[in-house]
Amino acid sequence: MARRGGASGPARICSPEAAAAELKTARSRGIEFVALGEPDYPPRLQMTDDPPPLLAARGQVSILTRPLVAVVGSRNASAAGVKFAERLARELGKAGFGIVSGLARGIDAAAHRASLGSGTIAVLAGGHDRIYPPEHADLLETILAEDAAVSEMPLTWEPRARDFPRRNRLISGLSLGVVIVEAARRSGSLITARLAGEQGREVFAVPGSPLDPRAEGTNGLLKQGATLVTEAADVIAVLEPILGRGLDLPAQEPAREAPGPIETEPGEDQRSRIIALMGPTPTAIDDLVRLSQTSPAIVRTVLLELEIAGRLERHGGGLVSLL
Amino acid sequence: MARRGGASGPARICSPEAAAAELKTARSRGIEFVALGEPDYPPRLQMTDDPPPLLAARGQVSILTRPLVAVVGSRNASAAGVKFAERLARELGKAGFGIVSGLARGIDAAAHRASLGSGTIAVLAGGHDRIYPPEHADLLETILAEDAAVSEMPLTWEPRARDFPRRNRLISGLSLGVVIVEAARRSGSLITARLAGEQGREVFAVPGSPLDPRAEGTNGLLKQGATLVTEAADVIAVLEPILGRGLDLPAQEPAREAPGPIETEPGEDQRSRIIALMGPTPTAIDDLVRLSQTSPAIVRTVLLELEIAGRLERHGGGLVSLL
């Protein structure tokens, strides 16, 4: 889990043994891994250009496959912004949407709190053992008791500045749409809005007075064509028709696993079959599963091993190649 | 000036002598009359479906033919709304636009004050001798010293509730576009916005927090497609191309009057020539001028006499017929 397509810098190469040890540690801490191509993998995220190969999820993992809306905004939120974020998240929760946000101070925390129990997902910029901001460790525990948190980073990954925009693509990628509640002129929420647009997601913005600096970003988004939101109905009116059209996912092989415990430890012959199918030409993970006659879980584990060993390159659209 | 296409109720019929007396009184009070079809008549207003046949104007009448923008909003304005209205009116004034508003408390008064001298027009719901609200008599005097006020009502007309929507169609009709700064859910400003839309004018709205009742109306307009305004540049960007296309008025005969005092008292033969050209079929005022070989001012005076006598019907597009 050390080297990703999006991350720069030298690859941290570790042995398959070290990778297996990290997986074991993580599982002992209640973390489940959901791999690209698996039925539990968030379907909208899978449709993006750079879905993480593996999501580390804690809590109610099933929330990840529900219809999701992101509610994000400034850390330095106004009381009105916090109040509105709470109202919106509560009403969207009642309407059946899970709420995705970034566990930040201000709007994010308000959105999480108001959707506790109805379905809230905290998307972390660091690993599950490096909560940011630290003062939200308690909030995260509350979220995990009823809902879920996900990360694409190793367990002890300390979030750096550049990990936040990277994380923001997950917030928008998981969601049908992103609601920006308050945002100053240059702010992380606007990055999330831009990523959402690039991912073909709906962008919603809450208006504010032109004299309020915390509304500069959202008013700017509205000028660029974001949908204006003053109540949950504005969001639902746009998203319901999209849900009605279905998720429009690429055709997927039916899962081959029998009911019961899922075998994820690849045998040596499975491992070599999968690697033999791969080369410098990008190949669909779905094809690897089909052609190797193994399971998505086995393929995922082998790809993870390759990735940790620095031998895998991830491309957009669920394509991989050997380095 | 008593009976208009828009007003219901029995016609107040008065003699040509009474009409002439009112005109004389008004002129002695510094009021100029500008009739439909005359060069001084506001060109945008002339393009509407129900332009007033005669505008009673005080102050710098030439402002009426400049590019105009209306800035209107709630009487019960917030401090932020007032501040924004001032800033907007000042910047639009600097950009060469005259500001049209309704002399009301709150946003209207702020817009007038901030555009004093750069060109501001108060459009009255009553006659020039019945200022509403009375406490703005001083503001009106200040406006008249540098700029202008107009009314389509008789000098002593006491404004009734229904005269305000009627007046609002003049505010929008005079203007290239209407900016609504603050407006509650049901408010007069929204009527102005609706009329502006019906007249094909640009509708602009200033966003506000969903928790601010004074922004409910403007946010609603934005949802319906009004252009979002946070600064004067947003208005100018939309209006400049319209100005660039020219005023797109119907072709008009060049004025026939020689320089010098304009003769507006029709001779008896002129009066009968004009009336002879008219009948139950709607006829263009421009045609009456051309075919009677009189001046627009003469035609205007004859039409006014007919109207006061209850013998004239006004149709859209500068058409009139005899009753």
Side-chain angles (χ1 to χ4, degrees):
Chain A
M1 301 198 294
R3 190 167 187 272
R4 311 247 176 251
S8 57
R12 189 184 62 151
I13 297 175
C14 73
S15 66
E17 290 72 26
E22 173 155 347
L23 287 176
K24 194 173 165 194
T25 307
R27 287 200 176 103
S28 74
R29 299 178 49 74
I31 292 170
E32 293 180 58
F33 290 94
V34 186
L36 197 63
E38 288 187 330
D40 283 349
Y41 197 88
R44 292 276 159 191
L45 188 58
Q46 186 160 335
M47 294 162 69
T48 61
D49 272 348
D50 55 351
L54 200 65
L55 283 175
R58 287 180 74 189
Q60 313 303 310
V61 177
S62 64
I63 299 172
L64 290 173
T65 51
R66 282 180 37 194
L68 301 173
V69 182
V71 176
V72 300
S74 49
R75 294 187 294 275
N76 169 35
S78 71
V82 166
K83 189 173 168 187
F84 183 80
E86 287 171 349
R87 179 192 293 181
L88 184 73
R90 194 180 310 118
E91 292 181 2
L92 288 172
K94 276 185 198 157
F97 291 95
I99 302 297
V100 182
S101 199
L103 198 71
R105 286 180 278 267
I107 300 298
D108 287 21
H112 285 307
R113 287 199 177 95
S115 55
L116 272 172
S118 69
T120 202
I121 300 174
V123 185
L124 311 177
H128 279 284
D129 271 2
R130 293 290 184 278
I131 299 312
Y132 186 87
E135 70 263 36
H136 280 177
D138 283 356
L139 173 59
L140 183 63
E141 284 309 310
T142 315
I143 291 173
L144 291 175
E146 303 206 54
D147 297 305
V150 298
S151 166
E152 63 170 327
M153 305 308 269
L155 200 56
T156 56
W157 187 270
E158 194 74 50
R160 306 155 300 174
R162 65 182 175 196
D163 292 325
F164 290 90
R166 178 193 171 123
R167 182 275 313 268
N168 292 355
R169 97 187 191 284
L170 298 189
I171 291 179
S172 54
L174 284 161
S175 308
L176 292 152
V178 175
V179 185
I180 322 291
V181 177
E182 274 186 342
R185 188 189 292 266
R186 268 180 281 276
S187 66
S189 306
L190 296 185
I191 295 174
T192 310
R194 180 173 57 75
L195 294 167
E198 289 171 6
Q199 290 168 337
R201 303 305 150 84
E202 300 299 323
V203 179
F204 301 89
V206 179
S209 163
L211 301 182
D212 182 354
R214 284 174 287 214
E216 272 187 52
T218 52
N219 286 339
L221 290 172
L222 292 170
K223 288 184 189 177
Q224 291 163 43
T227 300
L228 190 143
V229 175
T230 61
E231 54 186 347
D234 298 323
V235 177
I236 295 166
V238 171
L239 296 188
E240 270 193 337
I242 297 174
L243 281 175
R245 285 202 302 270
L247 287 176
D248 195 26
L249 283 175
Q252 195 171 322
E253 289 288 300
R256 284 164 203 272
E257 294 91 345
I262 296 172
E263 183 54 68
T264 57
E265 282 307 311
E268 201 50 55
D269 63 325
Q270 290 176 315
R271 183 176 287 113
S272 31
R273 251 199 338 268
I274 292 165
I275 294 174
L277 287 166
M278 300 175 66
T281 307
T283 309
I285 295 172
D286 280 354
D287 287 339
L288 294 181
V289 174
R290 186 165 50 85
L291 297 172
S292 68
Q293 299 195 313
T294 60
S295 70
I298 293 288
V299 170
R300 175 253 293 177
T301 306
V302 172
L303 293 178
L304 179 64
E305 291 170 357
L306 289 169
E307 188 163 35
I308 289 168
R311 291 184 57 202
L312 190 79
E313 186 174 3
R314 303 268 179 186
H315 308 270
L319 299 175
V320 289
S321 65
L322 279 185
L323 287 174
Chain B
M1 300 199 297
R3 190 167 184 272
R4 312 246 177 251
S8 57
R12 188 185 64 148
I13 297 174
C14 74
S15 66
E17 290 73 26
E22 173 155 347
L23 288 176
K24 193 173 166 196
T25 309
R27 287 200 177 104
S28 74
R29 298 179 50 73
I31 292 171
E32 292 181 58
F33 290 95
V34 186
L36 197 63
E38 288 186 333
D40 283 349
Y41 197 89
R44 293 275 159 191
L45 188 59
Q46 186 161 334
M47 295 162 70
T48 62
D49 272 348
D50 55 352
L54 201 64
L55 282 176
R58 286 180 75 190
Q60 312 304 311
V61 177
S62 63
I63 299 172
L64 290 172
T65 50
R66 281 182 35 194
L68 301 173
V69 183
V71 176
V72 300
S74 49
R75 294 186 296 275
N76 170 34
S78 71
V82 165
K83 187 174 169 187
F84 182 80
E86 287 172 349
R87 180 192 295 181
L88 184 73
R90 195 179 311 120
E91 291 181 1
L92 288 172
K94 274 185 200 155
F97 291 95
I99 302 297
V100 182
S101 199
L103 200 72
R105 286 180 277 265
I107 300 298
D108 288 22
H112 285 308
R113 286 198 178 96
S115 54
L116 271 172
S118 69
T120 201
I121 300 174
V123 185
L124 311 176
H128 278 284
D129 270 2
R130 292 291 182 276
I131 298 313
Y132 186 87
E135 70 262 35
H136 280 177
D138 283 356
L139 174 59
L140 183 63
E141 283 310 310
T142 314
I143 290 172
L144 291 174
E146 303 207 53
D147 296 306
V150 297
S151 166
E152 62 169 329
M153 306 307 268
L155 201 56
T156 57
W157 188 270
E158 193 75 50
R160 307 154 302 175
R162 65 180 176 198
D163 292 325
F164 290 90
R166 178 194 170 121
R167 182 275 312 268
N168 292 354
R169 94 184 192 289
L170 297 188
I171 291 178
S172 54
L174 284 163
S175 307
L176 292 152
V178 175
V179 185
I180 322 290
V181 177
E182 274 187 342
R185 187 189 294 265
R186 268 181 283 276
S187 66
S189 305
L190 296 185
I191 295 174
T192 309
R194 180 173 57 74
L195 294 167
E198 288 171 9
Q199 291 168 336
R201 302 305 151 86
E202 300 299 323
V203 179
F204 301 89
V206 179
S209 163
L211 301 182
D212 182 354
R214 283 175 288 214
E216 273 187 53
T218 51
N219 286 339
L221 290 171
L222 292 170
K223 288 184 189 178
Q224 292 162 46
T227 299
L228 190 143
V229 175
T230 60
E231 54 185 347
D234 299 323
V235 177
I236 296 166
V238 172
L239 296 188
E240 269 193 338
I242 297 174
L243 280 175
R245 284 202 304 271
L247 286 175
D248 195 26
L249 284 174
Q252 196 172 322
E253 289 289 299
R256 284 164 201 273
E257 295 90 345
I262 295 171
E263 183 55 69
T264 58
E265 281 307 310
E268 200 51 54
D269 64 325
Q270 291 176 314
R271 183 177 286 114
S272 31
R273 250 199 340 267
I274 292 164
I275 294 175
L277 288 166
M278 301 176 67
T281 306
T283 309
I285 295 172
D286 280 354
D287 287 339
L288 294 180
V289 174
R290 184 165 51 86
L291 297 172
S292 68
Q293 300 196 309
T294 59
S295 70
I298 295 288
V299 169
R300 174 253 293 180
T301 305
V302 172
L303 293 179
L304 178 64
E305 293 168 355
L306 289 169
E307 187 162 37
I308 289 168
R311 291 182 59 201
L312 190 79
E313 186 174 1
R314 302 268 179 185
H315 308 270
L319 299 175
V320 290
S321 65
L322 280 185
L323 287 173

